[in-house]
Amino acid sequence: MRIFLLTFLAMLAFAANSVLGRLALTQTPTQAALIDPANYTLIRLISGAIVLGLLAGLKNGFNKTAFAGSNIISAFSLFLYAAAFSFSYVAIDTGLGALILFACVQLTMMGWAIVQKYKFTLGEIFGSLVAFGALIWLVSPGVSAPDPIAAVLMAISGIAWGIYSIRGQKSASALSASAGNFLLTIPMTLILIRPFDFNPMGIALAVTSGAITSGLGYALWYSVLPKLTTSRAAISQLSVPVLAGIGGTFLLSENWTLRFTIASTLILGGIALAIISKRKIN
């Protein structure tokens, strides 16, 4: 139950990132975006690095051991995920973007599980098919062909996040590894620096995403990952579009439909079935 609750909190943080990103980066016919994707990513990663760096330093001392478990590959995966996500978000439909992102996360992590010769349970197979099928059904009606560059960027973001999640399964200290990974992204963010119009709300949304829902949320996710199989870690993330949709309904006044209710029930039911299943296929 404790692992389930912690996983659910991590998924809430991921969903909150989607809502915050939508608020900050979406441009409407009557209103410009609050911040551009480059500076949103820059502020998001630096904010996460500052908060996690302080917490890790206070806990373990301000020395290199405070950031044990971090590495350049994980940091680059984190940077690539965040940057590609932000740049794709301004030119792709929200529903189709969610499908591409989490499909690539799932395929990346499931593919790795197959390479590692993991024996899937019947519940994991059936549950993931139900959840993934319901997600496709949820976002498919009325969706037009996406901007090809935005679609490729979203796919890259999903693969990068899948790699970051896989590598987190070997993390001995979630806080130290997360803090170190965020700190290692700072030199990478230098390529994103560019002039932009000062907008307090856009900056506040980027800081909130970086410091709280990304920094603390990802550290929480890294604390849970070693206790989850790769397949179950992948399947659980299919709940994020559902949670983001709920947040969009209450915070962004988006419509709540019968289709969303049914699809959400199927997605969450499929995830629950996959997580509680025990019988493995030999």
Side-chain angles (χ1 to χ4, degrees), residues 5 22 35 49 67 94 103 106-107 123 126 129 133 137 165 170 176 182 203 225 232 239 252 261 267 270 272 275:
L5 291 175
R22 195 178 311 170
I35 190 171
F67 310 113
T94 301
Q106 174 118 347
L107 291 173
F126 183 70
L129 289 175
W137 178 62
S165 295
K170 297 180 179 180
S176 297
F182 267 83
I203 294 174
L225 277 170
R232 293 180 184 184
S239 65
L252 303 175
T261 302
I267 291 170
I275 290 176

Side-chain angles (χ1 to χ4, degrees), residues 215-270:
L216 298 181
Y218 296 174
L220 176 62
W221 181 231
Y222 256 40
S223 73
V224 174
L225 277 170
K227 302 174 180 64
L228 296 174
T229 64
T230 302
S231 63
R232 293 180 184 184
I235 295 166
S236 66
Q237 293 183 80
L238 291 178
S239 65
V240 176
V242 176
L243 297 173
I246 294 172
T249 298
F250 289 100
L251 299 177
L252 303 175
S253 300
E254 295 180 349
N255 293 329
W256 183 285
T257 65
L258 178 60
R259 178 183 292 273
F260 183 79
T261 302
I262 296 173
S264 298
T265 301
L266 290 172
I267 291 170
L268 296 177

Side-chain angles (χ1 to χ4, degrees), residues 48-70:
I50 291 172
V51 170
L52 289 174
L54 288 173
L55 290 175
L58 290 171
K59 180 181 178 182
N60 303 314
F62 289 93
N63 52 62
K64 64 180 182 180
T65 61
F67 310 113
S70 61

